[in-house]
């Protein structure tokens, strides 16, 4: 089985988004909730995974992270989050 990478969008308690990439979304989300993953999510507590997209390479996931962070408006991020249907084990 080949390793997969993911770009993810978290919704915070202040109704903002945090975007990142990882090879294990569940583990990374737990780190964010514990305040151990990013300075931003220490101040703005993540409440749920709002969006996940899977990629075959780390570079593709990083490119998507950049696009979401720097190219999308808040409205476009809301649309991404609203279109996302999590799998049973991903919340």
């Amino acid at each position: 089985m080949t390793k997969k990478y993911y770009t993810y969008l978290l919704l915070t308690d202040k109704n903002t988004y945090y975007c990142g990439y990882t090879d294990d979304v569940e583990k990374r989300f737990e780190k964010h909730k514990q305040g151990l993953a990013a300075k931003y999510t220490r101040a703005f507590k993540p409440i749920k995974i709002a969006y996940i997209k899977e990629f075959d390479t780390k570079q593709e996931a990083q490119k998507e992270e950049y696009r979401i962070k720097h190219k999308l408006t808040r409205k476009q991020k809301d649309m991404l989050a609203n279109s996302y249907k999590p799998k049973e084990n991903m919340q």
Side-chain angles (χ1 to χ4, degrees):
M1 186 164 110
T2 59
K3 190 172 194 175
K4 296 290 184 179
Y5 294 88
Y6 306 87
T7 301
Y8 62 93
L9 195 61
L10 304 179
L11 182 64
T12 73
D13 62 348
K14 304 283 196 270
N15 199 32
T16 62
Y17 289 114
Y18 174 83
C19 187
Y21 74 92
T22 186
D23 62 350
D24 187 335
V25 178
E26 291 281 327
K27 185 176 176 182
R28 189 70 175 158
F29 183 52
E30 287 303 314
K31 291 285 188 186
H32 280 293
K33 289 194 307 188
Q34 295 168 13
L36 301 173
K39 189 175 179 180
Y40 188 85
T41 55
R42 281 195 290 274
F44 298 85
K45 304 293 182 218
I47 55 173
K48 74 173 191 173
I49 299 169
Y51 173 79
I52 301 171
K53 186 169 182 182
E54 183 180 286
F55 296 94
D56 291 328
T57 69
K58 182 178 174 180
Q59 292 76 19
E60 290 173 310
Q62 289 173 317
K63 188 175 179 180
E64 178 69 355
E65 176 195 23
Y66 181 88
R67 184 185 78 85
I68 291 171
K69 281 185 174 179
H70 301 288
K71 305 286 183 181
L72 297 188
T73 64
R74 170 59 195 238
K75 185 175 181 179
Q76 290 169 319
K77 291 174 189 173
D78 286 340
M79 288 172 34
L80 262 186
N82 289 334
S83 70
Y84 177 66
K85 304 289 183 248
K87 295 178 184 173
E88 283 290 314
N89 62 342
M90 296 280 204
Q91 299 183 24

